[in-house]
Amino acid sequence: MPRTALLDAPATTALRMEDVVLTFPDGDGRVTAVDHVSLSIDRSRSLAVTGPSGSGKSSLLAVAATLARPEAGQVWLETRDGVVDLAAVNPRRAAELRRDEIGIVFQQSNLIESLTAREQLEAMAWLGSRPSRARRRDARERADELLGVVGLAAAADRSVGALSGGQRQRVAVARALMTEPSVLLADEPTSALDSESGQVVMDLLLSTAREFEVALMLVTHDATMATRCDAQIHLVDGAVTKATGR
Ligand code: ADP
Ligand code: MG
């Protein structure tokens, strides 16, 4: 995919959070899961979110994924229709944005066992609409292209039950890229894998972020993985205690 014409273009911010606060009910009170966090990620760049268990990493990612609505702050996402504040959209629009504009990869690949690797990806293009014949063909082409990118072209027709954990996670990364999202959100995507498969998935996340000009937000408790990202924030009790990189 030639992208050279864009090399000199100024970087665009795909995701920007401003002073985000998210709390959950906790007994008689509330627990602050995200405590006045601000961050931004440009397209093609990566941000690692680190911190101990319970520090709010997944909560922060859930806000960026529209899976949790913050009670304060703004979450600006670059979409095909311009910049949208995820903190202010209604649930229906949030679901559309999740489907069309946001790629998400979790610790478990959450693939559908009965489908082949290619069908997992094609299914993304069918969500929410009845596909025309042309769209089906486009979906198949993009699915095959992405399976090639993640090194699984030869496994396109295999059911995911026949794939290893690392291969499944590579399918999950390819699936997350199907709708050409501006951001790719990954929550501990390698923590269920052995270190070698984990490295492969990490390499893939970083290389696809650059190749497809996607902003990558990577939640990890693995310091080695985190240092491979362009920037890092460290959370303690929901608040940023350290920020490195640009
Ligand atoms: P991490 O991903 O860093 O381990 P989490 O974002 O999962 O941290 O959790 C941050 C805090 O928010 C913790 O105190 C956790 O118990 C709380 N929390 C997270 N999700 C929920 C929820 N759905 N309901 C209530 N409390 C939650
Ligand atoms: Mg978590």
Side-chain angles (χ1 to χ4, degrees):
M1 201 172 291
R3 299 278 185 177
T4 40
L6 289 167
L7 278 182
D8 294 329
T12 52
T13 300
L15 179 69
R16 186 159 58 88
M17 293 194 181
E18 297 256 20
D19 219 15
V20 166
V21 177
L22 175 71
T23 67
F24 290 110
D26 182 37
D28 292 336
R30 297 185 75 82
V31 59
T32 302
V34 177
D35 192 1
H36 298 278
V37 171
S38 299
L39 61 83
S40 78
I41 319 176
D42 287 346
R43 277 182 173 263
S44 309
R45 308 283 292 181
S46 53
L47 173 77
V49 180
T50 61
S53 181
S55 59
K57 304 183 296 298
S58 293
S59 300
L60 188 63
L61 185 128
V63 169
T66 75
L67 295 169
R69 179 192 272 262
E71 50 246 65
Q74 289 87 41
V75 184
W76 302 106
L77 178 76
E78 183 205 335
T79 76
R80 290 169 176 80
D81 306 320
V83 178
V84 175
D85 181 4
L86 301 181
V89 296
N90 64 33
R92 189 194 158 110
R93 180 77 179 123
E96 282 173 6
L97 290 166
R98 274 200 303 284
R99 188 186 68 208
D100 298 335
E101 309 279 357
I102 301 170
I104 311 178
V105 179
F106 291 105
Q107 180 177 337
Q108 301 299 332
S109 49
N110 300 318
L111 302 175
I112 301 165
E113 294 289 324
S114 57
L115 299 183
T116 66
R118 179 190 290 122
E119 287 164 350
Q120 310 285 334
L121 273 61
E122 287 177 314
M124 294 303 291
W126 303 342
L127 289 175
S129 62
R130 178 177 293 185
S132 65
R133 200 174 277 179
R135 267 195 78 189
R136 274 180 194 269
R137 199 172 48 239
D138 290 349
R140 189 185 170 107
E141 272 175 22
R142 180 152 176 88
D144 284 344
E145 180 201 340
L146 286 169
L147 287 172
V149 167
V150 302
L152 290 174
D157 293 315
R158 287 167 69 186
S159 79
V160 297
L163 302 180
S164 70
Q167 290 173 324
R168 284 161 170 255
Q169 204 57 318
R170 280 148 65 190
V171 173
V173 172
R175 180 179 59 180
L177 294 167
M178 257 314 267
T179 58
E180 304 186 53
S182 58
V183 295
L184 183 55
L185 309 173
D187 193 350
E188 309 264 12
T190 63
S191 60
L193 304 177
D194 62 83
S195 61
E196 199 180 317
S197 319
Q199 282 300 336
V200 172
V201 169
M202 186 64 200
D203 291 345
L204 202 59
L205 289 166
L206 292 170
S207 63
T208 51
R210 283 190 295 266
E211 181 176 353
F212 295 99
E213 296 181 328
V214 176
L216 171 67
M217 178 170 168
L218 173 80
V219 166
T220 181
H221 59 251
D222 184 328
T224 318
M225 301 276 186
T227 52
R228 297 190 58 197
C229 291
D230 297 314
Q232 296 177 42
I233 58 171
H234 188 77
L235 299 180
V236 174
D237 294 336
V240 176
T241 58
K242 205 166 69 178
T244 53
R246 46 136 282 128

PDB file of all heavy atoms in Angstrom, residues 24-26 31-34 51-60 187-188 219 235 238, ligand 1:
ATOM      1  N   PHE A  24     -16.282   3.980  39.357  1.00  0.00           N
ATOM      2  CA  PHE A  24     -17.221   2.861  39.446  1.00  0.00           C
ATOM      3  C   PHE A  24     -17.811   2.827  40.849  1.00  0.00           C
ATOM      4  O   PHE A  24     -17.139   3.212  41.809  1.00  0.00           O
ATOM      5  CB  PHE A  24     -16.505   1.527  39.203  1.00  0.00           C
ATOM      6  CG  PHE A  24     -16.045   1.316  37.791  1.00  0.00           C
ATOM      7  CD1 PHE A  24     -14.700   1.339  37.470  1.00  0.00           C
ATOM      8  CD2 PHE A  24     -16.970   1.066  36.779  1.00  0.00           C
ATOM      9  CE1 PHE A  24     -14.276   1.121  36.162  1.00  0.00           C
ATOM     10  CE2 PHE A  24     -16.550   0.845  35.472  1.00  0.00           C
ATOM     11  CZ  PHE A  24     -15.201   0.878  35.172  1.00  0.00           C
ATOM     12  N   PRO A  25     -19.043   2.354  40.974  1.00  0.00           N
ATOM     13  CA  PRO A  25     -19.599   2.174  42.320  1.00  0.00           C
ATOM     14  C   PRO A  25     -18.765   1.156  43.092  1.00  0.00           C
ATOM     15  O   PRO A  25     -18.300   0.170  42.519  1.00  0.00           O
ATOM     16  CB  PRO A  25     -21.010   1.624  42.077  1.00  0.00           C
ATOM     17  CG  PRO A  25     -21.173   1.471  40.612  1.00  0.00           C
ATOM     18  CD  PRO A  25     -19.924   1.898  39.914  1.00  0.00           C
ATOM     19  N   ASP A  26     -18.551   1.445  44.370  1.00  0.00           N
ATOM     20  CA  ASP A  26     -17.715   0.573  45.196  1.00  0.00           C
ATOM     21  C   ASP A  26     -18.262   0.642  46.619  1.00  0.00           C
ATOM     22  O   ASP A  26     -17.953   1.578  47.346  1.00  0.00           O
ATOM     23  CB  ASP A  26     -16.257   1.066  45.117  1.00  0.00           C
ATOM     24  CG  ASP A  26     -15.309   0.184  45.913  1.00  0.00           C
ATOM     25  OD1 ASP A  26     -15.514  -1.042  45.932  1.00  0.00           O
ATOM     26  OD2 ASP A  26     -14.360   0.732  46.512  1.00  0.00           O
ATOM     27  N   VAL A  31     -15.092   4.120  43.380  1.00  0.00           N
ATOM     28  CA  VAL A  31     -13.653   4.001  43.203  1.00  0.00           C
ATOM     29  C   VAL A  31     -13.292   4.734  41.919  1.00  0.00           C
ATOM     30  O   VAL A  31     -14.014   4.644  40.922  1.00  0.00           O
ATOM     31  CB  VAL A  31     -13.211   2.514  43.166  1.00  0.00           C
ATOM     32  CG1 VAL A  31     -13.895   1.754  42.044  1.00  0.00           C
ATOM     33  CG2 VAL A  31     -11.695   2.398  43.008  1.00  0.00           C
ATOM     34  N   THR A  32     -12.224   5.525  41.998  1.00  0.00           N
ATOM     35  CA  THR A  32     -11.775   6.278  40.818  1.00  0.00           C
ATOM     36  C   THR A  32     -10.835   5.402  40.005  1.00  0.00           C
ATOM     37  O   THR A  32      -9.709   5.129  40.417  1.00  0.00           O
ATOM     38  CB  THR A  32     -11.063   7.576  41.235  1.00  0.00           C
ATOM     39  OG1 THR A  32     -11.983   8.339  42.028  1.00  0.00           O
ATOM     40  CG2 THR A  32     -10.644   8.395  40.025  1.00  0.00           C
ATOM     41  N   ALA A  33     -11.317   4.949  38.854  1.00  0.00           N
ATOM     42  CA  ALA A  33     -10.516   4.051  38.015  1.00  0.00           C
ATOM     43  C   ALA A  33      -9.598   4.836  37.090  1.00  0.00           C
ATOM     44  O   ALA A  33      -8.487   4.408  36.782  1.00  0.00           O
ATOM     45  CB  ALA A  33     -11.429   3.136  37.203  1.00  0.00           C
ATOM     46  N   VAL A  34     -10.076   6.008  36.622  1.00  0.00           N
ATOM     47  CA  VAL A  34      -9.266   6.893  35.766  1.00  0.00           C
ATOM     48  C   VAL A  34      -9.352   8.285  36.382  1.00  0.00           C
ATOM     49  O   VAL A  34     -10.443   8.828  36.551  1.00  0.00           O
ATOM     50  CB  VAL A  34      -9.786   6.906  34.312  1.00  0.00           C
ATOM     51  CG1 VAL A  34      -8.970   7.882  33.465  1.00  0.00           C
ATOM     52  CG2 VAL A  34      -9.740   5.500  33.701  1.00  0.00           C
ATOM     53  N   GLY A  51       1.407   0.002  34.442  1.00  0.00           N
ATOM     54  CA  GLY A  51       0.963   0.241  35.815  1.00  0.00           C
ATOM     55  C   GLY A  51       0.600  -1.083  36.464  1.00  0.00           C
ATOM     56  O   GLY A  51       0.326  -2.060  35.767  1.00  0.00           O
ATOM     57  N   PRO A  52       0.584  -1.092  37.796  1.00  0.00           N
ATOM     58  CA  PRO A  52       0.255  -2.335  38.491  1.00  0.00           C
ATOM     59  C   PRO A  52      -1.190  -2.754  38.248  1.00  0.00           C
ATOM     60  O   PRO A  52      -2.000  -1.976  37.748  1.00  0.00           O
ATOM     61  CB  PRO A  52       0.505  -1.996  39.958  1.00  0.00           C
ATOM     62  CG  PRO A  52       0.488  -0.513  40.043  1.00  0.00           C
ATOM     63  CD  PRO A  52       0.895   0.008  38.709  1.00  0.00           C
ATOM     64  N   SER A  53      -1.490  -3.984  38.630  1.00  0.00           N
ATOM     65  CA  SER A  53      -2.849  -4.490  38.521  1.00  0.00           C
ATOM     66  C   SER A  53      -3.797  -3.584  39.302  1.00  0.00           C
ATOM     67  O   SER A  53      -3.482  -3.160  40.413  1.00  0.00           O
ATOM     68  CB  SER A  53      -2.869  -5.916  39.086  1.00  0.00           C
ATOM     69  OG  SER A  53      -4.159  -6.433  38.966  1.00  0.00           O
ATOM     70  N   GLY A  54      -4.920  -3.237  38.691  1.00  0.00           N
ATOM     71  CA  GLY A  54      -5.891  -2.382  39.366  1.00  0.00           C
ATOM     72  C   GLY A  54      -5.606  -0.899  39.238  1.00  0.00           C
ATOM     73  O   GLY A  54      -6.297  -0.065  39.840  1.00  0.00           O
ATOM     74  N   SER A  55      -4.596  -0.528  38.434  1.00  0.00           N
ATOM     75  CA  SER A  55      -4.224   0.892  38.342  1.00  0.00           C
ATOM     76  C   SER A  55      -5.069   1.665  37.338  1.00  0.00           C
ATOM     77  O   SER A  55      -4.901   2.880  37.196  1.00  0.00           O
ATOM     78  CB  SER A  55      -2.739   1.023  37.990  1.00  0.00           C
ATOM     79  OG  SER A  55      -2.459   0.388  36.760  1.00  0.00           O
ATOM     80  N   GLY A  56      -5.959   0.961  36.611  1.00  0.00           N
ATOM     81  CA  GLY A  56      -6.867   1.669  35.711  1.00  0.00           C
ATOM     82  C   GLY A  56      -6.534   1.544  34.236  1.00  0.00           C
ATOM     83  O   GLY A  56      -7.154   2.208  33.401  1.00  0.00           O
ATOM     84  N   LYS A  57      -5.596   0.663  33.894  1.00  0.00           N
ATOM     85  CA  LYS A  57      -5.177   0.516  32.491  1.00  0.00           C
ATOM     86  C   LYS A  57      -6.356   0.091  31.605  1.00  0.00           C
ATOM     87  O   LYS A  57      -6.626   0.702  30.574  1.00  0.00           O
ATOM     88  CB  LYS A  57      -4.047  -0.525  32.375  1.00  0.00           C
ATOM     89  CG  LYS A  57      -2.830  -0.233  33.240  1.00  0.00           C
ATOM     90  CD  LYS A  57      -1.713  -1.245  33.026  1.00  0.00           C
ATOM     91  CE  LYS A  57      -2.054  -2.679  33.439  1.00  0.00           C
ATOM     92  NZ  LYS A  57      -2.359  -2.840  34.878  1.00  0.00           N
ATOM     93  N   SER A  58      -7.045  -0.972  32.022  1.00  0.00           N
ATOM     94  CA  SER A  58      -8.169  -1.464  31.212  1.00  0.00           C
ATOM     95  C   SER A  58      -9.308  -0.459  31.183  1.00  0.00           C
ATOM     96  O   SER A  58     -10.006  -0.323  30.177  1.00  0.00           O
ATOM     97  CB  SER A  58      -8.680  -2.802  31.755  1.00  0.00           C
ATOM     98  OG  SER A  58      -7.699  -3.798  31.583  1.00  0.00           O
ATOM     99  N   SER A  59      -9.495   0.250  32.296  1.00  0.00           N
ATOM    100  CA  SER A  59     -10.557   1.262  32.346  1.00  0.00           C
ATOM    101  C   SER A  59     -10.277   2.378  31.346  1.00  0.00           C
ATOM    102  O   SER A  59     -11.178   2.837  30.640  1.00  0.00           O
ATOM    103  CB  SER A  59     -10.668   1.845  33.752  1.00  0.00           C
ATOM    104  OG  SER A  59     -10.973   0.829  34.680  1.00  0.00           O
ATOM    105  N   LEU A  60      -9.011   2.790  31.274  1.00  0.00           N
ATOM    106  CA  LEU A  60      -8.631   3.844  30.334  1.00  0.00           C
ATOM    107  C   LEU A  60      -8.871   3.376  28.899  1.00  0.00           C
ATOM    108  O   LEU A  60      -9.406   4.106  28.063  1.00  0.00           O
ATOM    109  CB  LEU A  60      -7.158   4.205  30.552  1.00  0.00           C
ATOM    110  CG  LEU A  60      -6.629   5.412  29.790  1.00  0.00           C
ATOM    111  CD1 LEU A  60      -7.340   6.686  30.225  1.00  0.00           C
ATOM    112  CD2 LEU A  60      -5.116   5.555  29.992  1.00  0.00           C
ATOM    113  N   ASP A 187      -5.387  -4.516  24.805  1.00  0.00           N
ATOM    114  CA  ASP A 187      -5.313  -4.693  26.261  1.00  0.00           C
ATOM    115  C   ASP A 187      -4.607  -6.006  26.585  1.00  0.00           C
ATOM    116  O   ASP A 187      -5.191  -7.069  26.444  1.00  0.00           O
ATOM    117  CB  ASP A 187      -6.725  -4.683  26.859  1.00  0.00           C
ATOM    118  CG  ASP A 187      -6.701  -4.532  28.382  1.00  0.00           C
ATOM    119  OD1 ASP A 187      -5.601  -4.631  28.981  1.00  0.00           O
ATOM    120  OD2 ASP A 187      -7.774  -4.305  28.966  1.00  0.00           O
ATOM    121  N   GLU A 188      -3.358  -5.901  27.004  1.00  0.00           N
ATOM    122  CA  GLU A 188      -2.538  -7.072  27.350  1.00  0.00           C
ATOM    123  C   GLU A 188      -2.613  -8.141  26.249  1.00  0.00           C
ATOM    124  O   GLU A 188      -2.869  -9.317  26.536  1.00  0.00           O
ATOM    125  CB  GLU A 188      -3.019  -7.698  28.677  1.00  0.00           C
ATOM    126  CG  GLU A 188      -3.160  -6.692  29.807  1.00  0.00           C
ATOM    127  CD  GLU A 188      -1.946  -6.635  30.720  1.00  0.00           C
ATOM    128  OE1 GLU A 188      -0.896  -7.200  30.355  1.00  0.00           O
ATOM    129  OE2 GLU A 188      -2.052  -5.995  31.774  1.00  0.00           O
ATOM    130  N   VAL A 219      -1.939  -1.514  26.232  1.00  0.00           N
ATOM    131  CA  VAL A 219      -1.907  -1.746  27.672  1.00  0.00           C
ATOM    132  C   VAL A 219      -1.038  -2.968  27.930  1.00  0.00           C
ATOM    133  O   VAL A 219      -1.247  -4.023  27.324  1.00  0.00           O
ATOM    134  CB  VAL A 219      -3.328  -1.993  28.217  1.00  0.00           C
ATOM    135  CG1 VAL A 219      -3.270  -2.576  29.627  1.00  0.00           C
ATOM    136  CG2 VAL A 219      -4.125  -0.698  28.211  1.00  0.00           C
ATOM    137  N   LEU A 235       0.482   4.430  35.130  1.00  0.00           N
ATOM    138  CA  LEU A 235      -0.644   4.767  35.993  1.00  0.00           C
ATOM    139  C   LEU A 235      -0.462   4.171  37.379  1.00  0.00           C
ATOM    140  O   LEU A 235       0.022   3.038  37.522  1.00  0.00           O
ATOM    141  CB  LEU A 235      -1.955   4.193  35.429  1.00  0.00           C
ATOM    142  CG  LEU A 235      -2.434   4.645  34.046  1.00  0.00           C
ATOM    143  CD1 LEU A 235      -3.748   3.949  33.708  1.00  0.00           C
ATOM    144  CD2 LEU A 235      -2.605   6.155  34.007  1.00  0.00           C
ATOM    145  N   GLY A 238      -5.124   5.054  38.960  1.00  0.00           N
ATOM    146  CA  GLY A 238      -5.872   5.764  37.935  1.00  0.00           C
ATOM    147  C   GLY A 238      -5.229   7.031  37.424  1.00  0.00           C
ATOM    148  O   GLY A 238      -5.716   7.629  36.457  1.00  0.00           O
TER     149      GLY A 238
HETATM  150  P1  ADP B   1      -5.998  -2.656  35.452  1.00  0.00           P
HETATM  151  O1  ADP B   1      -6.453  -2.945  34.062  1.00  0.00           O
HETATM  152  O2  ADP B   1      -4.835  -1.692  35.521  1.00  0.00           O
HETATM  153  O3  ADP B   1      -5.694  -3.900  36.212  1.00  0.00           O
HETATM  154  P2  ADP B   1      -8.736  -1.804  35.911  1.00  0.00           P
HETATM  155  O4  ADP B   1      -8.960  -0.692  34.965  1.00  0.00           O
HETATM  156  O5  ADP B   1      -9.288  -3.127  35.550  1.00  0.00           O
HETATM  157  O6  ADP B   1      -7.167  -1.911  36.233  1.00  0.00           O
HETATM  158  O7  ADP B   1      -9.331  -1.397  37.323  1.00  0.00           O
HETATM  159  C1  ADP B   1      -9.119  -0.106  37.906  1.00  0.00           C
HETATM  160  C2  ADP B   1      -9.984   0.016  39.142  1.00  0.00           C
HETATM  161  O8  ADP B   1     -11.360   0.072  38.759  1.00  0.00           O
HETATM  162  C3  ADP B   1      -9.868  -1.137  40.117  1.00  0.00           C
HETATM  163  O9  ADP B   1     -10.023  -0.627  41.411  1.00  0.00           O
HETATM  164  C4  ADP B   1     -11.028  -2.014  39.742  1.00  0.00           C
HETATM  165  O10 ADP B   1     -11.450  -2.782  40.840  1.00  0.00           O
HETATM  166  C5  ADP B   1     -12.076  -0.997  39.340  1.00  0.00           C
HETATM  167  N1  ADP B   1     -13.014  -1.519  38.319  1.00  0.00           N
HETATM  168  C6  ADP B   1     -12.693  -1.824  37.036  1.00  0.00           C
HETATM  169  N2  ADP B   1     -13.780  -2.230  36.364  1.00  0.00           N
HETATM  170  C7  ADP B   1     -14.820  -2.167  37.229  1.00  0.00           C
HETATM  171  C8  ADP B   1     -16.219  -2.448  37.149  1.00  0.00           C
HETATM  172  N3  ADP B   1     -16.770  -2.861  35.995  1.00  0.00           N
HETATM  173  N4  ADP B   1     -16.972  -2.262  38.257  1.00  0.00           N
HETATM  174  C9  ADP B   1     -16.434  -1.835  39.407  1.00  0.00           C
HETATM  175  N5  ADP B   1     -15.135  -1.537  39.560  1.00  0.00           N
HETATM  176  C10 ADP B   1     -14.312  -1.698  38.492  1.00  0.00           C
END
